[in-house]
mmCIF file of all heavy atoms in Angstrom:
data_model
loop_
_atom_site.group_PDB
_atom_site.id
_atom_site.type_symbol
_atom_site.label_atom_id
_atom_site.label_comp_id
_atom_site.label_asym_id
_atom_site.label_seq_id
_atom_site.Cartn_x
_atom_site.Cartn_y
_atom_site.Cartn_z
ATOM 1 N N MET A 245 14.897 13.214 -5.274
ATOM 2 C CA MET A 245 14.795 12.052 -6.191
ATOM 3 C C MET A 245 13.520 11.342 -6.283
ATOM 4 O O MET A 245 12.889 10.985 -7.220
ATOM 5 C CB MET A 245 15.999 11.133 -6.101
ATOM 6 C CG MET A 245 15.980 9.951 -7.065
ATOM 7 S SD MET A 245 17.153 8.622 -6.553
ATOM 8 C CE MET A 245 18.543 9.219 -7.398
ATOM 9 N N TYR A 246 12.992 11.240 -4.925
ATOM 10 C CA TYR A 246 11.683 10.422 -4.832
ATOM 11 C C TYR A 246 10.583 11.214 -5.506
ATOM 12 O O TYR A 246 9.770 10.530 -6.191
ATOM 13 C CB TYR A 246 11.352 10.327 -3.255
ATOM 14 C CG TYR A 246 10.046 9.762 -2.871
ATOM 15 C CD1 TYR A 246 9.640 8.517 -3.363
ATOM 16 C CD2 TYR A 246 9.319 10.439 -1.843
ATOM 17 C CE1 TYR A 246 8.633 7.993 -2.945
ATOM 18 C CE2 TYR A 246 8.182 9.903 -1.560
ATOM 19 C CZ TYR A 246 7.774 8.663 -1.936
ATOM 20 O OH TYR A 246 6.634 8.106 -1.559
ATOM 21 N N TYR A 247 10.656 12.520 -5.435
ATOM 22 C CA TYR A 247 9.556 13.236 -6.129
ATOM 23 C C TYR A 247 9.718 13.169 -7.587
ATOM 24 O O TYR A 247 8.653 12.959 -8.242
ATOM 25 C CB TYR A 247 9.728 14.810 -5.703
ATOM 26 C CG TYR A 247 9.074 15.769 -6.656
ATOM 27 C CD1 TYR A 247 7.686 15.831 -6.854
ATOM 28 C CD2 TYR A 247 9.914 16.568 -7.514
ATOM 29 C CE1 TYR A 247 7.215 16.724 -7.840
ATOM 30 C CE2 TYR A 247 9.377 17.393 -8.584
ATOM 31 C CZ TYR A 247 8.083 17.469 -8.609
ATOM 32 O OH TYR A 247 7.461 18.214 -9.527
ATOM 33 N N ARG A 248 10.924 13.222 -8.134
ATOM 34 C CA ARG A 248 11.094 13.159 -9.575
ATOM 35 C C ARG A 248 10.569 11.857 -10.192
ATOM 36 O O ARG A 248 9.888 11.824 -11.287
ATOM 37 C CB ARG A 248 12.622 13.333 -9.899
ATOM 38 C CG ARG A 248 13.046 14.801 -9.793
ATOM 39 C CD ARG A 248 14.624 14.805 -9.771
ATOM 40 N NE ARG A 248 14.991 16.300 -9.734
ATOM 41 C CZ ARG A 248 16.307 16.593 -9.335
ATOM 42 N NH1 ARG A 248 17.245 15.672 -9.218
ATOM 43 N NH2 ARG A 248 16.625 17.844 -9.296
ATOM 44 N N TYR A 249 10.863 10.698 -9.536
ATOM 45 C CA TYR A 249 10.440 9.466 -10.086
ATOM 46 C C TYR A 249 9.019 9.158 -9.863
ATOM 47 O O TYR A 249 8.413 8.508 -10.641
ATOM 48 C CB TYR A 249 11.395 8.302 -9.510
ATOM 49 C CG TYR A 249 12.790 8.351 -10.330
ATOM 50 C CD1 TYR A 249 13.846 8.917 -9.816
ATOM 51 C CD2 TYR A 249 12.708 7.706 -11.715
ATOM 52 C CE1 TYR A 249 15.000 8.961 -10.575
ATOM 53 C CE2 TYR A 249 13.997 7.800 -12.415
ATOM 54 C CZ TYR A 249 15.087 8.345 -11.796
ATOM 55 O OH TYR A 249 16.311 8.457 -12.530
ATOM 56 N N SER A 250 8.493 9.811 -8.722
ATOM 57 C CA SER A 250 7.012 9.491 -8.403
ATOM 58 C C SER A 250 6.245 10.349 -9.660
ATOM 59 O O SER A 250 5.298 9.837 -10.037
ATOM 60 C CB SER A 250 6.611 10.217 -7.132
ATOM 61 O OG SER A 250 7.193 9.413 -6.049
ATOM 62 N N GLN A 251 6.727 11.539 -9.972
ATOM 63 C CA GLN A 251 6.163 12.198 -11.034
ATOM 64 C C GLN A 251 6.335 11.511 -12.401
ATOM 65 O O GLN A 251 5.261 11.508 -13.157
ATOM 66 C CB GLN A 251 6.879 13.682 -11.193
ATOM 67 C CG GLN A 251 6.129 14.652 -12.113
ATOM 68 C CD GLN A 251 4.656 14.883 -11.720
ATOM 69 O OE1 GLN A 251 4.459 15.507 -10.766
ATOM 70 N NE2 GLN A 251 3.638 14.403 -12.531
ATOM 71 N N GLN A 252 7.442 11.027 -12.630
ATOM 72 C CA GLN A 252 7.624 10.201 -13.948
ATOM 73 C C GLN A 252 6.722 8.946 -13.902
ATOM 74 O O GLN A 252 6.147 8.600 -14.981
ATOM 75 C CB GLN A 252 9.094 9.688 -14.004
ATOM 76 C CG GLN A 252 9.973 10.897 -14.419
ATOM 77 C CD GLN A 252 11.377 10.351 -14.926
ATOM 78 O OE1 GLN A 252 11.542 9.680 -15.802
ATOM 79 N NE2 GLN A 252 12.429 10.752 -14.175
ATOM 80 N N TRP A 253 6.451 8.470 -12.731
ATOM 81 C CA TRP A 253 5.587 7.248 -12.683
ATOM 82 C C TRP A 253 4.237 7.564 -13.166
ATOM 83 O O TRP A 253 3.551 6.892 -13.931
ATOM 84 C CB TRP A 253 5.507 6.776 -11.132
ATOM 85 C CG TRP A 253 4.692 5.663 -10.593
ATOM 86 C CD1 TRP A 253 3.567 5.246 -11.325
ATOM 87 C CD2 TRP A 253 4.816 5.050 -9.507
ATOM 88 N NE1 TRP A 253 3.098 4.201 -10.508
ATOM 89 C CE2 TRP A 253 3.776 4.044 -9.453
ATOM 90 C CE3 TRP A 253 5.728 5.033 -8.485
ATOM 91 C CZ2 TRP A 253 3.623 3.238 -8.344
ATOM 92 C CZ3 TRP A 253 5.608 4.127 -7.344
ATOM 93 C CH2 TRP A 253 4.542 3.169 -7.321
ATOM 94 N N LEU A 254 3.689 8.739 -12.634
ATOM 95 C CA LEU A 254 2.306 9.378 -13.117
ATOM 96 C C LEU A 254 2.408 9.776 -14.419
ATOM 97 O O LEU A 254 1.290 9.639 -15.114
ATOM 98 C CB LEU A 254 1.942 10.349 -12.017
ATOM 99 C CG LEU A 254 1.323 9.941 -10.877
ATOM 100 C CD1 LEU A 254 0.887 11.089 -9.937
ATOM 101 C CD2 LEU A 254 0.181 9.020 -10.951
ATOM 102 N N ASN A 255 3.535 10.316 -14.973
ATOM 103 C CA ASN A 255 3.601 10.809 -16.362
ATOM 104 C C ASN A 255 3.294 9.648 -17.369
ATOM 105 O O ASN A 255 2.838 9.906 -18.424
ATOM 106 C CB ASN A 255 4.923 11.445 -16.497
ATOM 107 C CG ASN A 255 4.987 12.711 -15.946
ATOM 108 O OD1 ASN A 255 4.090 13.328 -15.449
ATOM 109 N ND2 ASN A 255 6.310 13.306 -15.946
ATOM 110 N N LEU A 256 3.767 8.474 -16.988
ATOM 111 C CA LEU A 256 3.534 7.279 -17.771
ATOM 112 C C LEU A 256 1.978 7.202 -18.109
ATOM 113 O O LEU A 256 1.437 6.949 -19.252
ATOM 114 C CB LEU A 256 3.954 5.933 -17.234
ATOM 115 C CG LEU A 256 5.403 5.653 -17.249
ATOM 116 C CD1 LEU A 256 5.683 4.372 -16.447
ATOM 117 C CD2 LEU A 256 5.821 5.364 -18.795
ATOM 118 N N PHE A 257 1.150 7.295 -17.082
ATOM 119 C CA PHE A 257 -0.357 7.243 -17.295
ATOM 120 C C PHE A 257 -0.886 8.473 -18.044
ATOM 121 O O PHE A 257 -1.912 8.330 -18.712
ATOM 122 C CB PHE A 257 -0.884 7.035 -16.001
ATOM 123 C CG PHE A 257 -0.699 5.734 -15.249
ATOM 124 C CD1 PHE A 257 0.257 5.576 -14.308
ATOM 125 C CD2 PHE A 257 -1.409 4.655 -15.712
ATOM 126 C CE1 PHE A 257 0.542 4.248 -13.769
ATOM 127 C CE2 PHE A 257 -1.180 3.343 -15.159
ATOM 128 C CZ PHE A 257 -0.194 3.130 -14.113
#
Side-chain angles (χ1 to χ4, degrees):
M245 178 190 275
Y246 178 49
Y247 157 70
R248 286 171 180 161
Y249 281 99
S250 296
Q251 186 63 65
Q252 288 194 59
W253 178 340
L254 279 180
N255 288 347
L256 276 177
F257 289 97

